[in-house]
Amino acid sequence: MNNLVKLICIPALALSILLPLSAAGAESGDKASKQKSVKAKLKEPSKKDLARKKIGVDQSDFMPSANSFGLITSYSLNYDDLQQESRKSVNHRLGVAGTYSFNRSLSTYASLSVSHQTQDEKIVRQNDNDQYHGLSNLNIGAVYSYSPKTEYIVRNSNTLNVSLPLSERSQLDKHIGSLSLTNFMVSPSWNKLSLFSRVQANYLWNTLRFSIVNNDQLNRDWLVAGSLGVNYQVLNSVGIRVSGSADNVRFLDGSWENSFGNRIAIFSNISGFQVFASLSNHSYPENERVDISFYDKYRRIFTVGVTHVF
């Protein structure tokens, strides 16, 4: 439990220390005085500002901005460059989300995705009983975003998500569903740099103590995760993000397990499409490594994707 407390407190403490430093200057290219700059941040964002936020780091960036329906489509693939098999696999995922915005603060969504695995440009499956194309769980949620009346945080987003068990894995393990709450904050920009943090709590409702899919491993109930990172806007339509993360999982026997990760990604807007490429490293839980700058010698996960908002 001490690890859980550290997981929640350390990102929050680091953010409270670093955010005032990031707000020492005004936005890049802004020649106004500090008082005018603060007042401008408290005003309702313009359409131009909202469009610029599409180069963001959070799902709420893609929500409709005013009383309307929206449609978000995405495609991504990831590849482990260090996998030991002679025929290496690539995982593909196609997702779609329908959204409705009541106003600029409150939006709702429902999302679903289909995935498959390829080897040598052919769709494959791990077992003969598996499906070639896998369906994800159905995610339904609401996002509430607002701009706090402070010069240290420009946006605070809170997402409540309910996941219904439609995937083959969830049905085999007889999951009833999961509930998660995510808080996301981003700081003002200083010399094109800004900070962001994300904290999530997720509860998985199981009916089985041991997992059928994971060879009788003990199932979990709680997952608490946190991340802290930096955004750098290289150009008006190109940004780079570097972040570190920590996960804390509680199993049904009451034991906890920690793992850590880091990620570097580049984003760009091209004719209304947001494309990204990322490299991520993840520690193994038994290592208990706190250093988020480590390099994984056994997994090297590359991910590329594209998102479009209609």
Side-chain angles (χ1 to χ4, degrees):
M1 183 60 70
N2 289 335
N3 289 332
L4 174 63
V5 174
K6 292 179 181 178
L7 173 64
I8 298 175
C9 294
I10 291 175
L13 178 60
L15 188 65
S16 65
I17 295 174
L18 293 175
L19 281 179
L21 298 178
S22 68
E27 298 263 340
S28 176
D30 188 0
K31 302 298 183 180
S33 66
K34 182 176 179 181
Q35 291 182 347
K36 291 182 179 180
S37 173
V38 173
K39 289 181 180 179
K41 290 170 188 171
L42 301 181
K43 292 180 179 179
E44 194 73 17
S46 65
K47 292 183 178 180
K48 185 176 181 180
D49 292 332
L50 291 169
R52 192 175 294 134
K53 284 184 180 179
K54 297 291 172 106
I55 317 171
V57 296
D58 192 66
Q59 179 182 356
S60 57
D61 288 326
F62 299 103
M63 291 298 179
S65 58
N67 198 20
S68 62
F69 289 95
L71 181 66
I72 305 171
T73 58
S74 62
Y75 172 77
S76 66
L77 59 88
N78 68 66
Y79 170 73
D80 183 359
D81 188 46
L82 297 180
Q83 56 186 299
Q84 300 300 313
E85 292 82 359
S86 57
R87 299 175 61 196
K88 297 187 177 182
S89 302
V90 179
N91 299 310
H92 304 252
R93 182 176 295 274
L94 176 65
V96 61
T99 66
Y100 180 76
S101 176
F102 296 95
N103 48 55
R104 288 185 173 179
S105 296
L106 181 61
S107 297
T108 57
Y109 65 88
S111 65
L112 197 65
S113 65
V114 177
S115 61
H116 65 254
Q117 192 175 83
T118 60
Q119 291 179 350
D120 300 331
E121 300 180 358
K122 294 182 180 179
I123 298 177
V124 297
R125 52 185 179 177
Q126 293 182 348
N127 302 301
D128 292 338
N129 294 329
D130 293 342
Q131 301 293 326
Y132 282 102
H133 301 279
L135 188 66
S136 73
N137 291 337
L138 174 63
N139 291 288
I140 301 173
V143 181
Y144 178 71
S145 300
Y146 67 97
S147 297
K149 295 183 178 181
T150 172
E151 57 183 306
Y152 303 136
I153 301 173
V154 295
R155 185 159 56 89
N156 188 324
S157 296
N158 298 278
T159 302
L160 178 66
N161 185 85
V162 177
S163 182
L164 303 179
L166 297 185
S167 69
E168 183 179 17
R169 172 173 180 161
S170 294
Q171 292 184 18
L172 286 173
D173 274 351
K174 302 185 186 307
H175 294 162
I176 294 178
S178 68
L179 178 69
S180 64
L181 180 63
T182 304
N183 173 264
F184 172 81
M185 292 188 296
V186 62
S187 77
S189 174
W190 179 70
N191 286 346
K192 299 185 178 180
L193 286 171
S194 62
L195 301 175
F196 69 90
S197 72
R198 179 183 286 106
V199 178
Q200 180 188 72
N202 176 279
Y203 178 78
L204 177 62
W205 191 355
N206 288 287
T207 58
L208 299 178
R209 186 173 177 84
F210 296 95
S211 171
I212 297 174
V213 176
N214 289 333
N215 300 319
D216 292 330
Q217 290 184 6
L218 195 63
N219 276 321
R220 74 164 179 90
D221 50 7
W222 282 101
L223 165 67
V224 181
S227 63
L228 184 66
V230 178
N231 290 315
Y232 178 68
Q233 189 168 345
V234 182
L235 300 170
N236 287 335
S237 60
V238 179
I240 296 176
R241 172 178 50 172
V242 180
S243 62
S245 62
D247 296 343
N248 204 326
V249 177
R250 194 183 80 162
F251 295 95
L252 294 181
D253 64 352
S255 63
W256 291 86
E257 204 169 64
N258 300 321
S259 62
F260 303 89
N262 55 56
R263 185 169 182 258
I264 182 170
I266 182 169
F267 294 82
S268 179
N269 265 354
I270 303 176
S271 301
F273 291 84
Q274 185 187 78
V275 296
F276 75 91
S278 68
L279 168 64
S280 59
N281 296 284
H282 301 277
S283 73
Y284 293 88
E286 59 270 21
N287 291 346
E288 296 185 354
R289 297 189 59 177
V290 182
D291 181 11
I292 62 174
S293 63
F294 68 89
Y295 180 76
D296 192 339
K297 297 180 180 179
Y298 305 99
R299 292 168 297 184
R300 186 184 298 147
I301 308 297
F302 292 96
T303 305
V304 295
V306 58
T307 300
H308 183 64
V309 184
F310 293 91

